[in-house]
Amino acid sequence: MMLKRVMGKASFATLQDASGRIQLYITQDMPGYEDFKHWDLGDIVGAEGTVFKTMKGELTVNAKSLRLIAKALRPLPEKFHGLADQEMRYRQRYVDLIVTPEAKDVFLARSRVIQAIRDVLRGEGYLEVETPMMQPIPGGAAARPFKTHHNALDMDLYLRVAPELYLKRLLVGGMERVFEINRNFRNEGISTRHNPEFTMLECYAAYQDWQYMMALTERLVRAAAGERSTLAYQGKSLELGRPFARLPIPEALRQQGLKGDLRDRAFLSAELTRHGVEHTKAQGWGALQLMLFETLAEKHLLQPTFITDFPAEVSPLSRRRDSDPEVADRFELFIDAKEFANGFSELNDPEDQAARFLEQARLKEAGDQEAMYYDADYIRALEYGMPPAGGMGLGIDRLVMLLTDSASIRDVILFPQMRPES
């Protein structure tokens, strides 16, 4: 019961369920009328009666009987407003869903987005699979993992940072098109764009490459958006109907006025220092070039844009480009200066992959906590032969943020991670 107006010989109440709201008209001759007068907002009530329209045209039930189904012991708030109450919305989502219709609409939209993505992938021959959440070696992304312990096996395990290496093991096994929509866990910061657990789509297709994956990503974003070719997001107009732009990292940096050699480590280091960005001697020109891109160019990528030509140094799972082995066949999709997707032609050379894992292990020993571990079983899988393939990961939470005009990732996760209540 969301509203109640007691008017002596007759009263009105408004009930709300999953389908919407309807008004009740209750007269004093109805059995239990005196009890009804003492019920509270938030009580779960059942009513039987005949339907009519009031003089104002409002659909109303002339209640012949009422039943108190469940009693609310806490009162519903009149409405949420202000910063403190915004936090309450996240902590008490069960209340938020009752009193804020827009919140419920966001999660209905989220379900439709995920279903639209599934429909496209299944229609193109992809098989949905599930891979381990707890892994002996966290792989597939440069990120800090959560660590746990399995008592029966007496072994440490990690919550996965990505499903990538297991999905590619399936390519080795002959499952040529696979995808998974599920949780990833990264023991990193919390912000309007980051939650420690978040939902990702990852998909892999044998005998395809990064160009195919770019086209697939564009199709998936459009399918999730439905009929909309233009989106309003946080006061900005975003065009989804036009082909997404494609922009190499060096060209993006040139557009910001850089004129030096973008593979000269000394030049890149000087530019980063000039902009106050910390970096280490262990990082090569590829890592510095990417850092400079993130500092200077990323914030200007308002319209949907595929960034390409990533250095191989910062792409440890990507295939090198035949015409330029220092560059990977890789892309990232940016919209409103935020990364939405990352994809590439998959590295299937076990010797090259082993060498890159060793380089990642060296970086980890040097203090890079986000560097990858060496995964010997994955190398063994590649040694059985993995077909050439394309792969892609798409952030579901950020996509839902975009499509529902939500400012924070917490707005699109039912129960986001919060600090303990004081």
Side-chain angles (χ1 to χ4, degrees), residues 374-390:
Y374 189 97
D375 190 333
D377 179 71
Y378 179 66
I379 298 300
R380 178 171 58 189
L382 291 183
E383 289 172 346
Y384 281 93
M386 187 178 90

Side-chain angles (χ1 to χ4, degrees), residues 2 20 75 83 124 148 154 173 178 186 228 242 256 278 283 303 356-357 368 379 385 389 400 403:
M2 302 300 296
L83 181 62
E124 298 193 17
T148 187
D154 191 24
V178 293
R186 298 183 184 178
R228 294 177 291 174
R242 302 173 186 168
Q256 303 310 313
E278 295 183 2
Q283 293 171 303
Q303 297 299 331
R356 296 204 216 177
F357 274 162
D368 184 351
I379 298 300
V400 176
L403 298 177

Side-chain angles (χ1 to χ4, degrees), residues 81-101:
H81 54 84
L83 181 62
D85 289 330
Q86 185 69 23
E87 183 169 310
M88 187 191 300
R89 290 181 60 186
Y90 301 145
R91 290 189 184 279
Q92 299 180 25
R93 185 69 82 187
Y94 39 87
V95 179
D96 184 33
L97 292 170
I98 296 173
V99 301
T100 313

Side-chain angles (χ1 to χ4, degrees), residues 225-231 238-242:
E227 301 298 323
R228 294 177 291 174
S229 59
T230 303
L231 290 179
L238 303 174
E239 292 289 340
L240 298 183
R242 302 173 186 168

Side-chain angles (χ1 to χ4, degrees), residues 2 26 30 35 96 134 163 165 208 216 225 239-240 261 275 278 325 342 345 349 356 389 394 410:
M2 302 300 296
I26 308 119
M30 186 202 72
D35 292 335
D96 184 33
M134 294 190 296
L165 301 188
Q208 298 293 351
L216 175 63
E239 292 289 340
L240 298 183
D261 183 352
H275 288 90
E278 295 183 2
N342 180 27
S345 295
D349 179 341
R356 296 204 216 177
L394 174 65
R410 293 181 177 183

